[in-house]
Structures are given as structure tokens and as C-alpha cells.
Amino acid sequence: MRIMLNLNIETISYRKKVILKDIKISILQFGLYGFFGKNGEGKTTFLKSLCNLVSYKGEILLSNHILEPNMIAWIPTEINVYDYLTIREFHEFYNLSSRNYIGSNKNIFELDKNKLLKECSTGTKKKAYINAVLQFSDYKLYIFDEPFNGLDIESNYILLNQIIKLSKNNIVFISSHIIELVEPYLDKKYIVKNQTIQEVEQQQELKSFFIDA
């Protein structure tokens, strides 16, 4: 089977310190791929390296071509928005900078678009950011780093359903501490530990890596 996404990374460094090394991951088909580990093991650093936000040595290829940052939908744990814009203005501003915009008015979350972002809760700001990013198309890789942080229970399930839907026709990477929420839907799962990333057998439960018997 043809490799769609091939990660062959020698080292990933942050502030000149090697965080991860010897990462070899081949993605052969569309699906949902989960990355898990304790705080400080390097999950976010790994995901940022795919977006070229953290320096790495190695090769990241999509269909034998270099994976470019503009091919990636990046939903970070901590989002940045412009507080003095309304939600509508933020979406319009975000759209101007992307070749991927398709002019869709579809939103995952229903929000008051006339509300200033500075008046919004952390969860609402995150919803506004997610709405803005996911209005775009033609991404080759979707990355969700702790996407459920700051969201209420109902919003978690709305977002989870959207992530599952995206994974049917796209490569989707996710990192989450809410293992029970995402594990049943994963096509493959990986543990970030001891400066590297290892695939976990599908039948092995993730909690066994974090809870002593």
C-alpha cells in the first residue's frame, strides 16, 4: 500500500535541547491517529514540528513531497485571538490569509458573531477559533492538540463528532488527556515516552500505560 504521510525524524529540538528522536511513522490511509503521554514528554512539541513551528532534523513527506505548513489545519491547546475584534471580524481576518478558504458559512458551533472576543469566555474564544479554521478546505493534515480543553461537555461531543467525520476522508492527528473519549475511534495510537514515539497495539488499552496494576 502506498504511504500517504511519512515521518522520518532524527531529532526534534526546543531551545537547543533534544526533546524527541528516532521517530519513524508511516500513515497509509485516512483515519484518526492519537498521540498520548504524560505532561512534558513532548506531545505538543512533536505536533508543532509537523507545522514547522519547532525545529527538527529529518524528513516529513506527504505523497513523496515535503509537507508544507499551509497544508495543515492546526488547532493548538492555547489559542490566540484578537480581543478587540468581533467573532465575525476575526473570521473575516482569518480568511484573508488563507488560500484554503471556500467561502462556507457553516460553523460547528453556534455563536453570536457580533460579540467582541474580549467579552467571551475561554471556551467561546476557542469555539470561534475552531470555527474559523474548519471553514477552510483542502487541508492535507488536521492536527488537534488537546482540543477539548476549555470546552463544556456538549461542545466536546460536537467537536468529537466533527473530528470523526473529518477522519473519514483526511489524515487527522489528535492529542488528548481524555483517553476514554477518543480511544474507541482511533485507527492507530501512539505513546510519547522516553524521547521517542512508539505505536501501541490496537487491542492494548492506553490506560495501562499510565495506571500501575
Side-chain angles (χ1 to χ4, degrees), residues 145-159:
D145 184 21
E146 298 291 350
F148 308 113
N149 281 12
L151 299 181
D152 56 68
I153 294 175
E154 180 184 17
S155 299
N156 281 345
Y157 283 101
I158 291 172
L159 180 56

Side-chain angles (χ1 to χ4, degrees), residues 182-200:
V182 299
E183 187 169 16
Y185 307 100
L186 297 175
D187 293 282
K188 284 190 178 181
K189 45 196 178 185
Y190 299 86
I191 291 293
V192 184
K193 186 177 181 181
N194 297 332
Q195 289 193 309
T196 192
I197 300 176
Q198 297 295 328
E199 184 178 348
V200 177

Side-chain angles (χ1 to χ4, degrees), residues 3-51:
I3 296 175
M4 298 182 69
L5 180 63
N6 191 44
L7 311 181
N8 186 7
I9 301 174
E10 296 176 34
T11 58
I12 299 175
S13 301
Y14 180 69
R15 294 181 179 176
K16 299 183 179 180
K17 179 183 178 181
V18 173
I19 306 298
L20 295 167
K21 58 186 178 181
D22 301 326
I23 299 170
K24 298 183 184 300
I25 297 174
S26 295
I27 303 298
L28 305 179
Q29 59 189 14
F30 297 141
L32 183 57
Y33 301 87
F35 296 84
F36 305 88
K38 297 179 181 178
N39 292 336
E41 290 285 357
K43 300 185 300 300
T44 294
T45 301
F46 164 67
L47 297 175
K48 282 185 173 181
S49 73
L50 304 181
C51 304

